């Protein structure tokens, strides 16, 4: 992940609703959640939710798979790992491999 991608991801997470969506999808794990269920769970109107989901998807933090007429969303843990790796790139005196175990522990392989 480069600086621009990191800024896009951080911007996507800087909104309360989008952060709640990402955390909910992390909690849902491999099962993911349909867009309507996300809206219901968080009490967000559908057009606001659609916009937030689009922003998170464009930032590489979630993905959606079409299921008939609806879309099921999943957290993209690779996107979060990429963001954390970028943020920690220069940690430990320029030896990022020292931080690799921490990064791996922070982002489970779901």
């Amino acid at each position: 992940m480069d600086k621009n991608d990191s800024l896009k991801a951080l911007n996507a997470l800087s909104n309360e609703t989008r952060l709640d969506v990402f955390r909910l999808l992390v909690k849902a794990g491999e099962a993911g959640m349909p867009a309507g269920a996300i809206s219901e769970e968080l009490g967000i109107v559908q057009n606001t939710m659609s916009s937030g989901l689009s922003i998170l998807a464009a930032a590489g933090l979630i993905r959606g798979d079409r299921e008939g007429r609806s879309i099921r969303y999943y957290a993209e843990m690779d996107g979060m790992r990429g963001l954390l790796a970028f943020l920690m790139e220069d940690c430990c005196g320029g030896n990022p491999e020292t931080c690799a175990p921490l990064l791996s522990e922070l982002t489970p392989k779901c």
Side-chain angles (χ1 to χ4, degrees), residues 4 13 20 27 33 40 61 63 67 69 80 84 89 99 107:
N4 287 333
L13 294 172
D20 289 345
K27 183 178 178 181
M33 290 183 76
E40 279 183 37
L61 296 172
R63 77 175 195 289
E67 293 180 342
R69 294 175 51 193
M80 181 52 72
L84 292 173
E89 192 172 85
C99 298
T107 54

Side-chain angles (χ1 to χ4, degrees), residues 4 31 36 59-60 68 74 79 88 90 95:
N4 287 333
Y74 305 85
M88 298 175 69
D90 297 320
N95 297 305

Side-chain angles (χ1 to χ4, degrees), residues 6-109:
S6 295
L7 288 170
K8 189 183 283 190
L10 289 168
N11 181 57
L13 294 172
S14 71
N15 171 277
E16 182 178 355
T17 299
R18 294 189 303 257
L19 180 60
D20 289 345
V21 168
F22 181 77
R23 290 175 49 91
L24 182 62
L25 290 174
V26 167
K27 183 178 178 181
E30 292 181 12
M33 290 183 76
I38 297 169
S39 287
E40 279 183 37
E41 179 78 20
L42 298 176
I44 308 295
V45 294
Q46 196 171 17
N47 63 344
T48 301
M49 182 57 58
S50 179
S51 173
L53 291 167
S54 294
I55 291 168
L56 286 164
L61 296 172
I62 66 169
R63 77 175 195 289
D65 293 336
R66 182 160 293 283
E67 293 180 342
R69 294 175 51 193
S70 68
I71 300 175
R72 182 173 293 270
Y73 287 92
Y74 305 85
E76 274 291 350
M77 298 312 291
D78 285 341
M80 181 52 72
R81 273 190 282 281
L83 174 60
L84 292 173
F86 175 80
L87 293 173
M88 298 175 69
E89 192 172 85
D90 297 320
C91 74
C92 304
N95 297 305
E97 62 278 358
T98 306
C99 298
L102 172 63
L103 183 59
S104 181
E105 186 177 316
L106 289 175
T107 54
K109 306 234 187 297

